[in-house]
Amino acid sequence: MTHSAATLTNSSRLWSSIMRIAEIGAIEGNGSCRLSLTDEDKEARDLFRFWVTAAGCEVRVDNFGNIYAIRPGARDDLPAVLIGSHLDTQPHGGRFDGVLGVMAGLEIVRALNDAGIETEAPIAIVNWTNEEGVRFKPGLTGSCGFVGALPGGDESSISSSDGSRYYAELARIGYAGQDRPPQISTYFEMHIEQGPVLENAGATIGIVEGVQGVRWFEIDFLGQDAHAGTTPMNNRRDSFLAASRYALGFLERAMDIDPDVRVTFGRVEVEPNSTNTIPGRTRLVLDLRHIDEHVLDRVERLMADQGEPLKKLGFGFSINRIMNVRPASFNRDLKDAVEKVASSLSMPSLRLPSGAMHDASNLAAVVPSAMIFIPSRNGISHNPLEWSEPMHVGDGCEVLCRAVLEAAKA
């Protein structure tokens, strides 16, 4: 592909940085596992901190463990242009999800240093804490805290899957900061698409229109433990079968409301979890997504209605909403600016929504924000097979760099 101007960023250096981070928490199949606030997460954070310090950045860590690396501008009284994503991964994660956005920010700072380019406003890179939400809930913890969307903002508002305490783990790995985050004017996040749309369309750059709203729920079904061999089928209160019927019926009715709704029962917990005991308690963890908040409201009301027949059959039934990320729309001027940059570099672009949640959806509520996607091979993500071509990685970073320079007034 021929670009209309010499590149500012070094795609080989960017690729090397991504591959170096991937070595931390490496798993079989060339994937990575760096759950938030584990030793592997600490190692990746330490390496990032080393790199940005070497690049001349001031490093700050706030009370949520978010790391900010600030490159000074000619006018440090101006708010910074923020670039970022996350370094934590899924248990069977790939090498690009989240990491790409943080390393692209690092490469931009390095490239501007190499070229001796001074911006009027500061440029900052951020690594948001616990974006994935695997070990601690809610996900997007760091960006939720940054924008004031974490209820309470204390230990009671964050739950753990392994009994760990969020703030204690921050302290254990050395990232229980008290620094004040930088004031920001604009936020950019670069990410792999995690879907097949760009690849199928032959587009290099995805300009993200907005992010679907995401709500997570814990749905509990209470029946009665009983012996698997001695209890007749018509005398049972099997919580798992009740949960199964509920899930299938709910899905069908939700699709009737809007076929574009996304319903995923991604986690099932059964107690006592014994082969020869009828399960007395089952918990379904539901991931619900849609771009329209009114549709989400209607589907959420349906959740309670769907449980009424179970109550009449003698089952205990309760719903607990554990996360709510509102649908986000990105800034029109920034989207246009990214599209203009891609066109100037002869890179085909495509506007599309994001089906996955991102920290940018939180930032969009408080500052003008934009997201850039690059293609994902076969649309695979949250999997060691996750892959984006080196050319696409470099092209995306170049577009991001030029959009950032425009926002920071080079």
Side-chain angles (χ1 to χ4, degrees), residues 80-83 184-190 205-210 329-343 349-351 360 363-373 399-409:
V81 175
L82 186 64
I83 314 165
I184 64 172
S185 63
T186 311
Y187 178 67
F188 288 93
E189 184 165 348
M190 177 178 163
I205 302 296
I207 301 161
V208 186
E209 294 279 17
S329 296
F330 293 126
N331 181 269
R332 180 182 302 175
D333 291 339
L334 292 181
K335 290 185 291 188
D336 290 346
V338 171
E339 188 171 50
K340 183 177 178 181
V341 170
S343 177
S349 65
L350 180 69
R351 296 202 179 205
L363 273 291
V366 296
V367 294
S369 301
M371 281 199 78
I372 295 172
F373 279 170
V399 169
L400 176 63
C401 179
R402 291 168 185 263
V404 166
L405 284 176
E406 183 175 332
K409 296 181 172 57

Side-chain angles (χ1 to χ4, degrees), residues 135-153:
R135 192 176 178 210
F136 300 98
K137 291 180 174 54
L140 310 182
T141 310
S143 59
C144 280
F146 177 83
V147 304
L150 193 65

Side-chain angles (χ1 to χ4, degrees), residues 219-223 239 242-243 246 280-284 310 316-318:
I219 310 173
D220 285 306
F221 304 82
L222 185 62
S239 66
Y246 175 93
R281 177 187 169 277
T282 297
R283 170 175 287 178
L284 301 180
L310 295 175
F317 175 79
S318 63

Side-chain angles (χ1 to χ4, degrees), residues 64-123:
F64 296 100
N66 300 319
I67 307 172
Y68 308 91
I70 306 165
R71 183 182 191 260
R75 290 188 53 191
D76 285 338
D77 59 312
L78 293 176
V81 175
L82 186 64
I83 314 165
S85 198
H86 60 98
L87 295 175
D88 65 312
T89 73
Q90 289 285 322
H92 295 168
R95 291 180 271 187
F96 301 90
D97 178 1
V99 176
L100 172 65
V102 182
M103 293 299 100
L106 171 64
E107 175 52 36
I108 289 169
V109 165
R110 286 170 164 172
L112 298 185
N113 290 346
D114 291 347
I117 295 174
E118 183 179 45
T119 55
E120 187 172 348
I123 292 174

